[in-house]
Amino acid sequence: MTSPELLERIRLHGQIPRHVAIIMDGNGRWAKQRSLPRAAGHKKGMTAVRESVEGALDAGIEILTLFAFSTENWQRPRSEVLALMGLLRRYVAKETRKLKEQDCEVHVLGDLDALDQSTRESVEYMTSETAGGMAMRLNLMISYSGRAEILRACRKMMEQVASGELALEEFDEETFEGALFTEGLPDPDLLIRTSDEFRLSNFMLWQVAYTELHIASVLWPDFSREDLFRAVLDYQERDRRFGRVTVG
Ligand code: IPE
Ligand code: IPE
Ligand code: MG
């Protein structure tokens, strides 16, 4: 099916997921299959990022969250980490204007203190340039892990309790969510992971409690907007019950 046909089917089906998150995986395998260095897979992965942003805009998805670099990924060889940081700066240089034209607001979520100064300044430039974009919010999760995010939120709230700013009784799901990086955002409706891996790898552990999962066999560098549309169609077939019983 072509891209317009898939989009038409999505529209006929109804319910578009408001928030789609993607674990972009398989760059290294893509490169290995071609006897190329891993960095070549990461570089090609940038075209898949553009594909997914364009596809999400076409489908009317409000929030797209991309897992770009995990806390654990810092333990990869230094050369690979440097290559990934370089690509991130390149992404900012290449895509900021386009994202702004497309009215996308970019947020970079994670432990940004761990980034080197020039990469941090670069992502800050992208977030300030695109601030206020109304068409879609793009979250780039960088130096991010779900457990670290949960601990950070706990620490924040414990400090507020200790200082008397927050009463212990007010420490509930709602206030806790306000202390997460995803403050104010709905949880992902759909989580896609590419390259046939059936695990979360420390991604958005709190937020995915009731998220629908879609595992795609395509390696991330080959991911196209059609793959995104197929994932949305799969999502539209799901019966989301949230622990309750479906009536009728
Ligand atoms: C995903 O591709 C990109 C990052 C995690 C930064 P990988 O680099 O994990 O590729 P594989 O899983 O080794 O194929
Ligand atoms: C998850 O992929 C992290 C990102 C996509 C950024 P990994 O390749 O790091 O995860 P594992 O090692 O296969 O679990
Ligand atoms: Mg991987």
Side-chain angles (χ1 to χ4, degrees):
M1 244 189 287
T2 64
S3 199
E5 284 166 351
L6 286 163
L7 265 181
E8 186 53 25
R9 278 186 77 153
I10 288 173
R11 296 220 172 89
L12 289 173
H13 265 81
Q15 278 292 310
I16 310 279
R18 280 184 74 192
H19 184 175
V20 174
I22 309 182
I23 302 178
M24 311 186 288
D25 198 18
N27 296 352
R29 275 161 280 176
W30 184 93
K32 196 169 179 205
Q33 282 176 359
R34 291 160 180 78
S35 308
L36 293 169
R38 292 178 60 83
H42 297 315
K43 186 167 170 230
K44 180 70 169 46
M46 304 246 290
T47 60
V49 172
R50 166 104 330 257
E51 277 288 304
S52 56
V53 167
E54 306 255 332
L57 279 163
D58 285 348
I61 288 161
E62 282 173 50
I63 306 158
L64 178 68
T65 297
L66 301 179
F67 196 12
F69 190 85
S70 73
T71 307
E72 290 76 23
N73 289 151
W74 287 115
Q75 290 158 43
R76 292 190 179 192
R78 190 175 143 75
S79 56
E80 180 166 348
V81 171
L82 287 176
L84 283 163
M85 292 300 138
L87 278 174
L88 181 54
R89 292 192 299 274
R90 199 167 139 164
Y91 178 75
V92 172
K94 243 183 98 194
E95 301 285 331
T96 302
R97 204 175 63 181
K98 183 118 195 233
L99 288 163
K100 200 175 164 175
E101 279 166 12
Q102 288 172 320
D103 209 20
C104 286
E105 180 172 86
V106 184
H107 290 251
V108 180
L109 308 180
D111 176 17
L112 302 188
D113 290 338
L115 300 179
D116 64 89
Q117 195 186 338
S118 84
T119 307
R120 194 170 50 246
E121 283 172 5
S122 163
V123 299
E124 281 166 1
Y125 167 76
M126 182 166 54
T127 52
S128 66
E129 275 294 297
T130 59
M134 298 291 284
M136 187 174 78
R137 172 169 165 152
L138 172 65
N139 295 316
L140 296 179
M141 310 304 267
I142 289 164
S143 191
Y144 169 88
S145 86
R147 285 187 177 179
E149 176 186 40
I150 290 168
L151 275 180
R152 177 181 170 272
C154 286
R155 207 171 294 128
K156 238 167 135 174
M157 296 196 69
M158 283 156 88
E159 276 166 14
Q160 288 175 358
V161 170
S163 70
E165 206 182 313
L166 183 80
L168 195 54
E169 306 75 63
E170 291 168 330
F171 194 144
D172 57 15
E173 287 196 12
E174 204 184 324
T175 50
F176 186 73
E177 279 166 4
L180 296 170
F181 286 122
T182 49
E183 176 189 0
L185 298 181
D187 290 338
D189 299 296
L190 168 65
L191 171 63
I192 301 168
R193 181 163 185 156
T194 56
S195 81
D196 246 343
E197 299 288 5
F198 286 66
R199 59 176 169 269
L200 291 172
S201 301
N202 214 349
F203 188 53
M204 294 185 107
L205 297 180
W206 172 277
Q207 295 90 337
V208 298
Y210 274 102
T211 299
E212 297 296 328
L213 309 180
H214 175 91
I215 310 295
S217 51
V218 60
L219 303 175
W220 179 250
D222 291 327
F223 189 84
S224 65
R225 70 190 74 194
E226 289 78 20
D227 293 308
L228 176 69
F229 298 158
R230 277 189 280 271
V232 171
L233 281 170
D234 178 29
Y235 165 84
Q236 289 177 324
E237 299 295 323
R238 307 286 176 87
D239 177 21
R240 301 187 77 187
R241 290 188 289 275
F242 299 96
R244 296 186 281 260
V245 177
T246 317
V247 188

